[in-house]
Amino acid sequence: MSPKLSLAARRHGPARWNMLFLPGFFLLLFLVAQAWGETGAGPAPLEPSDLTEMSLEALMDINVTSVSKKSQKLANAAAAVYVITQEDIKRSGVTTIADALRLAPGVQVARLDSNKWAVSIRGFNGRYANKLLVLMDGRSLYTPFFSGVYWEVQDTPLEDIYRIEVIRGPGAALWGANAVNGVINITTKQAESTIGGLVSAGGGTRERGFGTARYGFSLGEATDLRLYAKYNNRDNGVDASGNATHDDWNITRGGFRLDSHPTDQDLLTLQGDYYDGKLGETYTLFLPPALTPPTVLDTTSGVSGGNLLSRWKRTLSEKSSLSLQAYFDHYERQMVISGEKRNSLDLEFQHRFALGSFQDVIWGVGYRYSHDEFDDTFTVSFDPASRDEHLCSAFLHDEITLVPERLALILGSRVERKDYSGFEVQPNGRLLWTPTPLQTVWAAVSRAVRTPARAEQTIRYRQGATLVDTGANQQIPVVATVTGSRDFKSEELLAYELGYRSEPHPRVSFDIATFYNVYHHLRTLSTGTFIPPSASQPFGVQPQLTSNDMHAHAYGVEVSTTWKPYDWWRLQATYSYLKITTYLDTIDLSIFNIIEKGNAADDSPRNQFSVRSGVDLGRQVTMDLWLRGVDRLKFIDRSTIPGYVTLDARLAWKPQPNLEIALVGQNLLHEHNQEFISELINTSPTQVERGFYGKVTWAFR
Amino acid sequence: MTTDENHTKAHRPNGDCPATRHTCALWRGAAILVVSAWLCIVFAGRLQASSPPPSASQVETAMIFNMTRFVEWPGESFPAGNAPFTICVLGKGELAAAVGALQGKTIKGRPAVVRQVSQVGEKEACQILVIDKSERRRLRTVLKQLNRNGVLTVSDAPRFASAGGGVGFIEVDGRVAFEINPEAVRQCRIKISSQLLKLAHIVGDGE
């Protein structure tokens, strides 16, 4: 054995064992807790008389947040669901929705710079991650431009969020298009829950200044309305040497939500928002006439947008209801490399009813229209510069009770037809087994499809330029151009999932989900025919055409558990493991294909964990600690982003019932660290810094 | 350029460990910390007589029992000297189920009786009417139909007190609190002591 090999073995040894140790131990611990719970050594239920002997003041001190977050829908119980509640969001100290998603297992969240995030579920993360459906009160947040989400403008006040459901795995059949690896369903509070005034404001080292004001009131017996306005100003980050970068930003937002119950069976909702912001970005551009070396440009981009949504739901009986939803969404982005304007209109109808005594059926139809206009620049242009897209879809979802209270089968499918990509069918089947009232086993097989995005079919992106020798002491610049191809087709996923959920003890809940995903026709960039320089274009063009020449296997496991050892102390832990292996289906081994292959396999961490502790110190003080770790990422030029472990802490004091003062420290274990590098369009990534902020929240009637 | 290049990591110091040596130690430290903490809690949790945490409805039920000490019903509420203290329950939900635990307890020196009712306006006298939040859509109808004389209305439905109810339970920061609409209570000829009002969030009609 060569010395090099044995050295490698010695280094690999303990580290690999370490990685298995954590998941193995979790599993062992909970099998043990499960066994204990079932041997009847469990405690007797709390006698109500114990409570009735307590004084009112003592009763008002008891923390009643439960350990289990019971899913309401059967469909959700047969899937890997994690619910992030308003209290989770508040006590974690996060300031954005994207950061709140770090609370869930199986979700990869990386902050690229002060105003950009890469968020995905079960891999394939990137700023332009495209395998995730994100909904805000039923409104789809992903843009048809790249099938992903601009997280920086999803700036809803966190105090207005009721819950965030994170559903890992294909959810297209029930939830909608683009739900390949998962669905993030964000719901805001009903207007009746936010009556009165709420003002919060604060500032700190990275959150330079922020404020939210909200007021809710009744418009009559059955109607409530709330209005809000908020402003955020965030600091820039730093580069690897600690120098300030140009990514500071600010955003102003306002909106309303109206809920009305005109009759007992009807619920009418109307809501809307508008935002306007400025983002600092740094671009590396290859501009004429010289083209190379590149110019690094600090710019300010403008973003604005608004939406209006209306929804009517009528309950026909205990098991049947109708709902009709319509929304309009508009956004604009002005960046140095491109300008984009997009208007979307979406209509959706759903009907739920019982069929016989064993079946619960939901079916629906939907239509979405999207119109865009792009301002072409040298770096980014589109052919055509403006396009209309129509998407029609229908779905059917049937929950069949095979054995009452024990076994259920769910069959569903979504059928959609989108302009420029044709007809797609996304069926799924799930089985739900409840052996005891406190245990659930579920299994699912699903097919999901990611239809081509606008960019993938029509973009011309001049990504980089190099000087190439043509002999005879001549050099010409050659521009690598990512070119969208009309032949780019949908990516496909076949997913096999298995999960188990239990409450082995009244104070403990446990959830584990595993999956095996097979992807086909994943995006690659195939080398096109070289275009030599001409009079009108004095540089060579090497097109890289979007193509579907990669397939992949992915598997992993996600574990989450909640433990309340005492009424005043709550612990939550999650762990995720993910391994993706990619294979090229072409002999075209250009650097671009190698990069796409490598990115898909390594853009997401192998292991992630999160442990949170929430303590109530008396009635007025709460203390929360959040330790989380993310494994390393390997990147484009083989540079590695190291794994990191970091800590957030929050201390809050309520001197009066309607006044809260909170101090939050974020990313405490590092002065600054890198979380990601942007792929494709080159904005300079910055490092996430340690930060502190203080916040005061005051509620009044 | 082949994928085998990924495996020759000789130039990188730590092999499979997340990059730098410092971070590797942190990973190990974090793993050991987490697992030891977990082990401690498993054992501590078992050794302590850990009872299940009380549910919101159980705490609300205990509060109802406790509140009666601070409430005075009009004299004619109790027809006979030994008449029971009647708690009527409307709706089917967690609170409706939990209130059943008050059956047989002594309230105001009388034995408490918990009765499920299906509609209001019934002739039987109730001292307390508990409306489960399952009836929230019917709240306004129920409150209108009810002969409120001498009945303290209590509910966990949202915004009960501002809809004209007497005592509404709310959840604030994971704890149970309650709103009282003093005007609504006064109209039912029920007196609430100032000690109870101090602990409550005071709410008026339509607020």
Side-chain angles (χ1 to χ4, degrees), chain A residues 240 598-599 602-606 630-644 673-677 685 687, chain B residues 5-9 11-21 23 27:
Chain A
N599 280 358
D602 299 319
D603 273 13
S604 306
R606 184 73 55 91
V630 176
D631 209 344
R632 65 177 177 165
L633 305 173
K634 292 192 293 184
F635 265 92
I636 293 177
D637 58 354
R638 309 300 173 74
S639 65
T640 299
I641 293 179
Y644 64 90
N673 68 292
Q674 190 84 33
E675 286 189 4
F676 211 78
I677 294 176
Q687 306 220 334
Chain B
E5 268 202 48
N6 294 341
H7 294 290
T8 47
K9 299 186 184 104
H11 63 285
R12 243 196 274 123
N14 260 44
D16 238 301
C17 229
T20 69
R21 212 160 284 154
T23 323
W27 268 104

Side-chain angles (χ1 to χ4, degrees), chain A residues 375-432:
Chain A
D375 294 330
D376 291 342
T377 65
F378 178 78
T379 311
V380 175
S381 59
F382 295 86
D383 174 27
S386 171
R387 196 169 89 163
D388 288 351
E389 199 176 89
H390 304 263
L391 169 69
C392 299
S393 66
F395 77 92
L396 180 67
H397 175 96
D398 189 3
E399 294 171 4
I400 306 163
T401 309
L402 298 174
V403 177
E405 309 286 321
R406 282 276 176 277
L407 192 62
L409 174 68
I410 297 165
L411 297 171
S413 184
R414 173 172 292 264
V415 149
E416 75 187 35
R417 193 200 156 276
K418 192 169 111 162
D419 280 351
Y420 313 107
S421 73
F423 202 69
E424 302 285 359
V425 183
Q426 300 177 79
N428 83 346
R430 295 171 187 268
L431 204 59
L432 184 71

Side-chain angles (χ1 to χ4, degrees), chain B residues 57-58 61 89 91-102 114 116 130 132:
Chain B
S57 299
Q58 285 175 323
T61 302
V89 177
K92 288 193 173 64
E94 274 194 41
L95 181 58
V99 169
L102 294 180
V114 179
Q116 183 86 32
V130 176
D132 190 283

